[in-house]
Structure formats: C-alpha cells, structure tokens
Amino acid sequence: MGWPLLLENLQVKRGGKLVLAVPRLELGAGEIMAVLGPNGAGKSTLLLTVAGILCPSQGSIRAGEMVWGPGRDPYQWRQAVTLVFQEALLVSGTVLDNVTLGLKFRGLSAREREQLAGPWLERLGLTELARRRVQDLSGGEAQRVALARALVLKPQVLLLDEPFAAVDAPTRSRLLRELRLLLKETGITTLFITHDFRELPLLADRGLVLLQGQMAQVGTVRELAERPASEAIARFFGVENLWPTGGSLPGLKELPPGLGAIPARCVRILGAKPAVAGESWLWPGKVKYVEEHWDGVYYCLLCEGLEVWGWADNQLRLQLGEQAWAVINKKQLHYIETRNSLNFLSDQEGLPG
Ligand SMILES: Nc1ncnc2c1ncn2[C@@H]1O[C@H](COP(=O)(O)OP(=O)(O)OP(=O)(O)O)[C@@H](O)[C@H]1O
C-alpha cells in the first residue's frame, strides 16, 4: 500500500511570483486524486512540487515518515515519489532498456531487472514490444513505456501529467479504466493532471479543482458537478443551467440573490404537463433549440425569459416553438452565493515573502 500524502501551508513561487497556495490537502493511502483546472491554474506547479523538483517557499509535504519542503534534501523524497511526464521522456534503446532504467540506477543485475520488468510489460501490453527501439513507438505506446518504467520502481506516490494524452479518446478511456484497476490493486497513492473533467470518474476517487493558483474545491465527481462551490467551478464543469435567482419561477424566486445551478442532464423535458409534480418544480416554456444525440435529445426551452437546458429520451419529438415542460428536481437545484467569490492570488496584495 502506498503512503498517505499531506500538504500543509504550501506556497510555491515561480519567477519570484506566488503561483500556488495550498493551505491543506490530504490524500489517503492508495487514494487517486485528479487535479483539474484551466490553463495556468497551477496544476503542473503542484505536481512538480510534490515530485521534489520545485521547492515550496513555505510549508511542507509529508508522505509516510518523509517530509519535503524548504531546507530539506530532495534525494530520498525522489526515491519514493515518481513523476511521469506527459511527453514520455525516453532514452535511446529498446522498450526493455527504458522500463528497466530506474532499476539499473538502483544497481540491480540485468537478470533481476528483466524479472521485475516482465509482469509490468505484460500488464501494460508491452511484452511484444520489449525489444523494439523506442523511436519506432507510437505516442500512446511511448506513454505506456514511461508508465511501466515508473511502476516497476514501486513508488509510494505516483504523479501523472495527463496520462495517455497522446492516445485517441476511446482508447484513452479504456487505458484509464485499466490503470485504475492496476493502481487500486497495488495501492499506490496517485495524483494526476487532467484538463477533461469527464476523465475524473474513469480514474479518480476525488478531484481537486485549482483556479488561479488556489484550491477552489475538493470532492467526488458528483459533488463537483452537482454542488460546485462557485460560478467559476460550475462553468469549468460545463454546468449548462446557471440562472440568476429571483424572478417568478418557483424554486428560483424563493432563493436569496445568487445563482441556481443544475446540469442539463438533471433537467427532464416533457411534451405534456404531468399530473403529479412530486419533488419537482414544473416550468412551462417554448422550445428554442434542439440537439439530437444518439442516446437522447438536448432541448433548450425559453421559460419566462430564461434559457433552460434539459434532456429527453429519443421518443420525444418536439419542434421549435412548441410548448413543453421542464422538470426541475428540488434536490438537484444547487444554490451558489455569488457575493462570496474566491480571493484569487492575482487579486491579493502584500502576500508574504
Ligand atoms: N518557469 C516559470 N516562471 C515563471 N512563471 C511560471 C513558470 N512556469 C509557470 N509559471 C506560471 O505559474 C502559473 C501556473 O503555471 P502551471 O504551469 O503550474 O499551470 P497549469 O495549470 O499546469 O497550466 P497548463 O494547463 O497550461 O499546463 C502560471 O501563471 C504560469 O504562467
């Protein structure tokens, strides 16, 4: 089982500027956490710091008994924590040479190295490619080699920068699911970067959203998508419905000033008013937009001037301008208080150091 990871009071500067602040972040032993956020949010900075490549200007990172931070020697830390870069940094030679490189540095004999590498080559589908020269690999194969090279060292903590980014989307989904099984079996504590929140359920137990160098929210995929802590997070997760509260629609008019948020997939569109509303609000509206998918249809209704995005199965055939009903589940409409925006690093003045 990997080690638990604890980041406390972490501040990281780059080019003399504070670009990442993590007051506290805890990963349980064997937990897999995704790091999400837009460009420049601080994702790579976080990974490079946990890898012992960047030194924080303040704070500490603990893994098991070991500590990384200002004044600490990174040598031992780097033995326990392994970073796999997005661009597989392979040395010239064969796949096997690359997978066993770290073991060679640790002084193992060629025979021992091959014995240890064998199972990992097999699990990552590389056995047939073991003697192939790395310059003849596809981008996806090269990424798998980089991963095998990291896993063969049995790291306590694994850091992955956009795993399988070079692979086409369906193959990436399959590889991420397989990687999850493998990591859960070995119990390696893992932090990985992704730009795509849809990858979160494939690999991660929880996600950390970074915005402008700040921890904006930590949670499971459902918590992040259905209970976003701010408008910025809701937008990042592609929550289609973000309505200003107030007005005359039931559900919104009772809320204090802010936003009502609900993903389109959680709003049901019906062609006729149901007899019973149950735990829902029923909003009448006219069809403004239709988008057909293979497994259903997205509709946008105009309800009292608000654009309401919802989902229906393929049986429902509504035309533009037709009367329809949006069913808003009371438990799923999430209130976001807009007055409490995050204090982003760039908005702050006089930060320490
Ligand atoms: N070497 C550097 N010197 C100065 N500033 C840097 C350096 N590297 C990154 N930064 C700044 O640090 C901040 C965080 O960058 P980082 O690369 O960690 O973001 P990211 O979330 O990984 O972005 P991306 O998704 O584009 O890779 C950005 O404002 C960036 O401009």
Side-chain angles (χ1 to χ4, degrees):
M1 187 56 90
W3 290 341
L5 200 61
L6 177 62
L7 287 66
E8 279 183 307
N9 301 321
L10 205 71
Q11 296 207 345
V12 186
K13 288 181 177 176
R14 299 189 82 172
K17 195 172 141 237
L18 184 59
V19 295
L20 180 69
V22 178
R24 186 184 165 89
L25 178 68
E26 203 169 355
L27 272 79
E31 186 175 7
I32 305 175
M33 185 176 281
V35 184
L36 304 126
N39 293 125
K43 304 182 296 293
S44 305
T45 303
L46 177 65
L47 241 66
L48 290 170
T49 309
V50 178
I53 295 169
L54 288 177
C55 187
S57 55
Q58 191 181 305
S60 65
I61 309 177
R62 285 175 190 278
E65 296 295 303
M66 294 201 308
V67 186
W68 168 234
R72 304 268 179 176
D73 182 357
Y75 180 76
Q76 269 207 321
W77 180 264
R78 290 183 194 154
Q79 300 269 312
V81 179
T82 299
L83 169 62
V84 179
F85 289 96
Q86 189 181 343
E87 295 289 324
L89 301 175
L90 304 180
V91 297
S92 62
T94 65
V95 166
L96 186 64
D97 293 337
N98 272 274
V99 173
T100 56
L101 191 69
L103 299 172
K104 193 173 179 182
F105 287 142
R106 289 188 184 176
L108 273 73
S109 71
R111 193 184 153 81
E112 288 169 320
R113 296 199 297 263
E114 279 199 36
Q115 269 176 357
L116 286 173
W120 289 109
L121 289 168
E122 198 173 323
R123 302 188 76 159
L124 288 160
L126 294 168
T127 309
E128 306 295 309
L129 303 176
R131 307 282 163 194
R132 189 182 287 184
R133 303 197 73 75
V134 289
Q135 58 264 41
D136 300 329
L137 297 175
S138 71
E141 287 164 349
Q143 279 187 325
R144 278 187 281 147
V145 173
L147 194 58
R149 184 175 59 189
L151 291 169
V152 78
L153 294 173
K154 293 199 176 153
Q156 301 296 335
V157 177
L158 181 66
L159 307 169
L160 305 170
D161 187 0
E162 297 210 51
F164 312 122
V167 181
D168 61 87
T171 314
R172 185 164 66 242
S173 299
R174 181 175 58 76
L175 290 172
L176 288 171
R177 288 189 183 105
E178 285 173 14
L179 180 60
R180 180 177 167 82
L181 288 177
L182 208 130
L183 292 174
K184 284 295 164 191
E185 214 176 282
T186 47
I188 301 173
T189 310
T190 305
L191 259 180
F192 75 98
I193 292 181
T194 178
H195 273 102
D196 188 349
F197 63 88
R198 287 166 299 191
E199 286 189 352
L200 207 151
L202 303 181
L203 185 55
D205 299 312
R206 288 189 298 159
L208 156 67
V209 184
L210 288 177
L211 294 175
Q212 296 180 31
Q214 293 275 31
M215 279 175 68
Q217 194 170 356
V218 182
T220 62
V221 65
R222 283 196 70 173
E223 285 162 355
L224 294 172
E226 293 180 12
R227 297 274 175 267
S230 69
E231 181 181 352
I233 299 172
R235 292 197 186 283
F236 179 73
F237 275 88
V239 175
E240 296 88 344
N241 295 306
L242 283 168
W243 304 303
T245 52
S248 54
L249 287 166
L252 291 181
K253 70 175 175 206
E254 298 85 358
L255 288 170
L259 290 171
I262 185 165
R265 280 273 181 165
C266 300
V267 175
R268 189 114 191 100
I269 302 295
L270 301 174
K273 188 178 180 180
V276 187
E279 282 299 291
S280 302
W281 290 292
L282 296 172
W283 295 355
K286 295 263 193 288
V287 177
K288 187 184 173 189
Y289 179 78
V290 182
E291 186 180 288
E292 290 207 35
H293 289 243
W294 66 271
D295 56 345
V297 187
Y298 277 114
Y299 286 102
C300 177
L301 305 188
L302 210 53
C303 305
E304 311 244 342
L306 277 191
E307 286 190 356
V308 177
W309 288 85
W311 180 251
D313 61 35
N314 282 319
Q315 312 296 323
L316 189 67
R317 294 275 159 194
L318 293 170
Q319 304 299 316
L320 290 178
E322 211 174 318
Q323 169 81 45
W325 294 86
V327 183
I328 317 288
N329 187 309
K330 290 181 184 175
K331 289 200 182 109
Q332 287 179 313
L333 182 67
H334 172 60
Y335 170 66
I336 297 175
E337 192 178 347
T338 40
R339 276 179 301 137
N340 287 350
S341 65
L342 281 162
N343 293 321
F344 291 123
L345 293 182
S346 57
D347 302 335
Q348 295 181 20
E349 282 178 8
L351 275 163

